Amino acid sequence: MDPNRDAKAPDEGYSDAAKGVIAMARFAGARGWVPATSGNFSARIDGHRAALTATGANKAELTEAGVIDVEIFGSKHPRASAEAPLHLARYRNAPQIGAISHIHSMAATVLSRRHEKTGHVRLEGWELLKAFSGIATHETVLDVPVVSNDQDTDRLADIVEQRLAMLDSAYGYLIAGHGLYVWGANAAETIRHMEAFDFLLSAQLHEEGPR
Ligand SMILES: [Zn+2]
């Protein structure tokens, strides 16, 4: 049987994924989570390709011109951002992931640095933990991994993937002093998870207070 028999035509698959990337980017951009052209967004097209934001694009006003078609197992796309390896490593290791957002929201950035030595930010007892797929009660402890920042993003992706491989489930992770990676089965779920993380990390930051 032809393995591509049920697959969408390539352009249609790319177009759907690019729409998801634009939706995530504009959502984050409207909330001030990707200042100064930072942040990046991607959506899986199939087992081998993903749509990804090109480097430097203004995410709040992203259009399809700012989205590129990249190979998950291939060599680096000339317009890919330096953080592309962190997206692609997730797609290689987690087939259930359909979309990924990377944002520099204030609460994520502050808490990630504060909890770098502990290696995680603990979110516990908040009702909004139920916004994450598979969590049904506020009586939940979610330890969000924190890894140290590294400008060598291939090396950083290896460290992240080793860390995530030890966990039963994860919705995202923090890079210290940098920001948040968050994912879901598709762009809509990733937007929900991104909004939940921002709310929960903001609540956690308020509860901890200034230091
Ligand atoms: Zn970043």
Side-chain angles (χ1 to χ4, degrees), residues 10 15 58 97 100 106 112 120-121 126 128 146-147 191 193 199:
S15 174
N58 178 350
I97 291 179
I100 301 172
M106 185 58 69
S112 63
H120 65 260
V121 173
W126 303 105
L128 212 73
V146 180
V147 298
I191 286 173
H193 288 173
F199 178 88

Side-chain angles (χ1 to χ4, degrees), residues 98-118:
I100 301 172
S101 290
H102 168 53
I103 59 172
H104 297 173
S105 64
M106 185 58 69
T109 307
V110 173
L111 282 178
S112 63
R113 190 151 77 173
R114 181 180 286 179
H115 293 278
E116 181 176 4
K117 284 203 178 73
T118 318

Side-chain angles (χ1 to χ4, degrees), residues 4-95:
N4 295 319
R5 204 182 61 144
D6 296 324
K8 291 178 176 177
D11 287 347
E12 193 184 341
Y14 173 75
S15 174
D16 284 353
K19 283 195 186 91
V21 168
I22 291 165
M24 292 186 288
R26 289 186 179 176
F27 187 91
R31 285 156 184 79
W33 296 342
V34 283
T37 77
S38 67
N40 33 70
F41 302 85
S42 67
R44 186 194 287 279
I45 298 167
D46 57 29
H48 302 278
R49 293 160 59 224
L52 174 70
T53 42
T55 186
N58 178 350
K59 308 309 184 300
E61 296 168 4
L62 190 70
T63 63
E64 211 166 306
V67 182
I68 53 176
D69 185 337
V70 299
E71 291 189 27
I72 291 173
F73 295 88
S75 53
K76 191 175 183 290
H77 189 291
R79 290 178 67 210
S81 86
E83 297 193 53
L86 295 163
H87 288 252
L88 302 179
R90 288 276 66 214
Y91 290 124
R92 286 196 293 271
N93 289 315

Side-chain angles (χ1 to χ4, degrees), residues 74-205:
S75 53
K76 191 175 183 290
H77 189 291
R79 290 178 67 210
S81 86
E83 297 193 53
L86 295 163
H87 288 252
L88 302 179
R90 288 276 66 214
Y91 290 124
R92 286 196 293 271
N93 289 315
Q96 74 278 12
I97 291 179
I100 301 172
S101 290
H102 168 53
I103 59 172
H104 297 173
S105 64
M106 185 58 69
T109 307
V110 173
L111 282 178
S112 63
R113 190 151 77 173
R114 181 180 286 179
H115 293 278
E116 181 176 4
K117 284 203 178 73
T118 318
H120 65 260
V121 173
R122 175 158 291 185
L123 299 172
E124 182 176 10
W126 303 105
E127 173 68 13
L128 212 73
L129 283 163
K130 289 160 60 184
F132 293 112
S133 288
I135 293 182
T137 171
H138 68 284
E139 294 177 328
T140 295
V141 178
L142 181 65
D143 285 338
V144 185
V146 180
V147 298
S148 296
N149 200 12
D150 189 342
Q151 298 302 322
D152 183 335
T153 49
D154 288 309
R155 184 168 62 198
L156 182 55
D158 284 346
I159 289 166
V160 166
E161 294 304 321
Q162 284 169 25
R163 183 82 188 275
L164 293 172
M166 298 189 293
L167 304 176
D168 290 335
S169 66
Y171 305 93
Y173 65 88
L174 294 157
I175 305 175
H178 180 161
L180 171 73
Y181 272 81
V182 48
W183 50 82
N186 49 50
E189 187 175 275
T190 301
I191 286 173
R192 196 179 78 233
H193 288 173
M194 174 163 57
E195 193 171 25
F197 264 127
D198 184 66
F199 178 88
L200 291 164
L201 292 168
S202 297
Q204 183 67 29
L205 184 58

